[in-house]
Amino acid sequence: MAILKSHFFSLFPLLLLLLHFPTVSFAQTLFVFGDGLYDAGNKQFLSQNRVDASFPPYGVTVGQATGRWSDGSIVPDYLANFMGIPRISPILQTTADFSHGANFAIADASVLGSPQETMTLSQQVSKFLENKNKWTNQTRSEAIYLFYIGSDDYLNYAKNNPSPSDGQKQAFVDQVITALKAEIKLVYGSGGRKFAFQNLAPLGCLPAVKQASGNVQECVKLPSEMAALHNKKLLQLLVELSRELNGFQYSFYDFFSSIQNRVIKSKTYTFETGIAACCGTGSINGSDCSAKNVCAKPEEYIFFDGKHLTQEANLQVGHLMWGADPEVIGPNNIRELMVLPLDITVILADIHKAMAAMRPRQSKIESLYDIKKMESEMENHWLYQVDKASSFVI
């Protein structure tokens, strides 16, 4: 009898969830914002100059160049496939089918400034707002909003400010985060509830950055340090927004550590090298990728050119974002975020009340559904991970 009672208590939260939420609604829409890492071809529709990604050797692994800055598929392609929907088309391809979302990302994009022949994050969000009536309110609320942006902000800052003080570094990061917050809230105001963020890579380890520094044996300190500061502030922002905005849900992927691990231990992750790029010129192929200087086996490299990943690396990132555990992505991976009910906070609050009424003292099961505790533990874990990154920044 005691065993049956114990089983009832352990299953009770799940029973409540089922009563509240008898059918699962899978997100079938993906909106993508970012820079060249996520660009599915927007650059070629905007630029009046030659766009390298529209020509070989880009796309060499899949047989044709598509405007993607890789030898093949990029992370949003894999996530769309895992979601069971078609690849998401670039918004500037006006004849495309946008029934499952749109890709607003474009190479050379930044959060701040006004770079030429690209779209800042603000301009990408404005483009989303201009087109939002292509999708119903329900579709927009159930969709996944995927972000990777900020690399160009910090690379340009480091180039123009080689020796900033700690206060100056923090002030610039705060500028970027403040602007990012404003854009997230605009998307939220138009119905967005499920946000997925890929944090920034250790930028000083990009082949283009190392080669430009003249010391290809070490990662450049300042760009990686700026990325780590950004990642810490970004996580704090997401936790803050989850408490401030009703129904705001998020996924935060530790891309910094993923690249860190693969650069240091390439062969552990099936790559032959994490230092040189597959395509380019210079000591580690950090610049000027062309058909004349591309490697024979892109799958053996993490980086395809000086700044962007190979298809194989993108595939690994896609799998981690989709289904990895909280050591890598949290508080939800994208597979979990996709099916999370929009009113999950209401459901969990009701579970707390029911469990408290049945058992005055908090049980281990209840603690699993303690939202504030989960947020606090997740935040502490991620901030610890970011602090550890300083040991990697050489």
Side-chain angles (χ1 to χ4, degrees), residues 16-17 19-23 25 141-142 193-194 245-249 337 339-351 371:
L16 280 177
L17 279 172
L19 289 172
H20 271 281
F21 193 49
T23 58
S25 177
S141 67
E142 294 177 345
R193 293 296 181 269
K194 299 183 176 186
L245 303 177
N246 184 43
F248 182 93
Q249 301 165 0
L337 188 66
V339 300
L340 205 61
L342 296 174
D343 58 349
I344 187 66
T345 54
V346 175
I347 295 173
L348 294 179
D350 286 349
I351 289 175
I371 301 170

Side-chain angles (χ1 to χ4, degrees), residues 9 61 73 75 139 153 185 201 215 239 266 283 296 306 311 359:
F9 278 112
T61 299
S73 298
V75 171
T139 296
D153 292 275
K185 294 184 83 168
N215 183 359
V239 172
S266 304
S283 55
Q311 174 175 271
R359 183 178 297 174

Side-chain angles (χ1 to χ4, degrees), residues 141-155:
S141 67
E142 294 177 345
I144 302 294
Y145 295 81
L146 179 66
F147 289 80
Y148 180 84
I149 195 163
S151 294
D152 281 79
D153 292 275
Y154 297 113
L155 290 173

Side-chain angles (χ1 to χ4, degrees), residues 171-202:
F172 185 75
V173 172
D174 288 343
Q175 275 186 274
V176 174
I177 294 297
T178 298
L180 188 54
K181 178 180 180 179
E183 301 308 323
I184 294 172
K185 294 184 83 168
L186 283 175
V187 174
Y188 175 88
S190 292
R193 293 296 181 269
K194 299 183 176 186
F195 294 80
F197 282 84
Q198 176 176 333
N199 77 9
L200 298 183

